[in-house]
Amino acid sequence: MLRRWITARAPASRAARRNPQASGDAGLGECLRLLSFNIQVGISTGRYHHYLTRSWQHLLPHSGRAVNLQRIGALLADFDLVALQEVDGGSLRSDYVNQVEHLAQLGNFPYWYQQLNRNLGPLAQHSNGLLSRLRPSLLEDHPLPGPRGRGAILLRLGEGPEALAVVMMHLALGTKARTRQLAYIRELIQGYRHCVLMGDMNTHASELLENSPLRDLGLIAPQTCATFPSWQPQRCIDHILLSPQLTLERMQVLDAPISDHLPVAVEIRLPAALRDQQLIALPHAN
């Protein structure tokens, strides 16, 4: 029955959606603050047994989800560019709220995009999400190879050889499928000098940098702190990887056990030539 909602899709250029509630144009400074967060569709998980006792929330709405999204929105408001994983695009379980759009409103982000990876109709809208204070010069939606249901968003800021390419992703659990996906992403960023890869990558930084198709890029993994599970972190599977030409100002795994993953944040200094392109940003909500 569900197969009628699960259809193949092709890579495509997209336009970011506008949040009309965001206002007050301001120039971007020298640095860019980035965050990656797997929000588990707004479910608060604080113990292993919650995977069982709260599993019904993956299917049905719950009043506590709105409160949790408010907490997530307040956290996101401190950042310029946010990658979200395990977001619902508006179905029964989220009370038909598009969580990407809702978080854009809560965090005062002018640009957002929802990547729908598993369309289960009214039952679930499994998605990745993008929130940005900067207007993308390019936005592409890419289904990833392997079992259906995984995707990557390619965002470009600026133009020309100094443009910044950002790929947001949620990779597969299996090693073989993940390797195929990383090879695909490797091709996406071919030719870009400044790159950021961010998301739930379901493997450790050493594996990504030493044994994956990314190994020849010289990428930097600023953090190796555990991010999962949030209440007793043991595995470092959420990452923001940087090309060596980018200058890292600050890195942090946030102590915010709102989901079953902890959010990862970095602040980078933008290349001078990219700052000279006068990218437009909006001020933080706080």
Side-chain angles (χ1 to χ4, degrees), residues 39 41 62 204 237 268-270 273:
I39 70 166
V41 296
H62 178 248
H204 292 268
I237 59 176
I268 60 173
R269 183 171 296 276
L270 289 171

Side-chain angles (χ1 to χ4, degrees), residues 1 22 145 164 183 213 233:
M1 179 179 177
L164 176 65

Side-chain angles (χ1 to χ4, degrees), residues 148-161:
R148 289 183 188 175
R150 303 285 183 176
I153 303 169
L154 170 63
L155 166 77
R156 189 182 71 207
L157 298 175
E159 303 285 354

Side-chain angles (χ1 to χ4, degrees), residues 96-225:
Y96 297 100
V97 171
N98 185 319
Q99 293 179 336
V100 185
E101 181 180 17
H102 184 52
L103 289 171
Q105 294 167 352
L106 291 175
N108 193 36
F109 287 90
Y111 302 101
W112 62 275
Y113 180 72
Q114 174 214 348
Q115 180 187 52
L116 180 58
N117 291 311
R118 283 194 205 101
N119 181 359
L120 301 185
L123 299 180
Q125 297 281 296
H126 296 276
S127 304
N128 291 331
L130 154 70
L131 307 176
S132 179
R133 300 192 189 283
L134 300 170
R135 184 184 300 114
S137 57
L138 176 74
L139 182 63
E140 293 180 350
D141 184 310
H142 291 268
L144 290 174
R148 289 183 188 175
R150 303 285 183 176
I153 303 169
L154 170 63
L155 166 77
R156 189 182 71 207
L157 298 175
E159 303 285 354
E162 296 302 313
L164 176 65
V166 181
V167 182
M168 304 177 176
M169 69 199 76
H170 190 182
L171 300 182
L173 293 169
T175 301
K176 184 178 293 187
R178 194 166 55 243
T179 298
R180 290 180 61 198
Q181 292 166 358
L182 288 168
Y184 183 94
I185 290 166
R186 174 70 177 81
E187 291 299 314
L188 284 184
I189 59 176
Q190 181 72 32
Y192 284 103
R193 183 166 179 259
H194 306 300
C195 301
V196 175
L197 306 183
M198 55 197 300
D200 178 354
M201 303 188 190
N202 273 313
T203 191
H204 292 268
S206 58
E207 184 67 24
L208 291 165
L209 300 184
E210 299 170 11
N211 300 312
S212 84
L214 306 177
R215 60 185 176 271
D216 65 330
L217 297 179
L219 296 174
I220 298 167
Q223 65 88 17
T224 56
C225 302

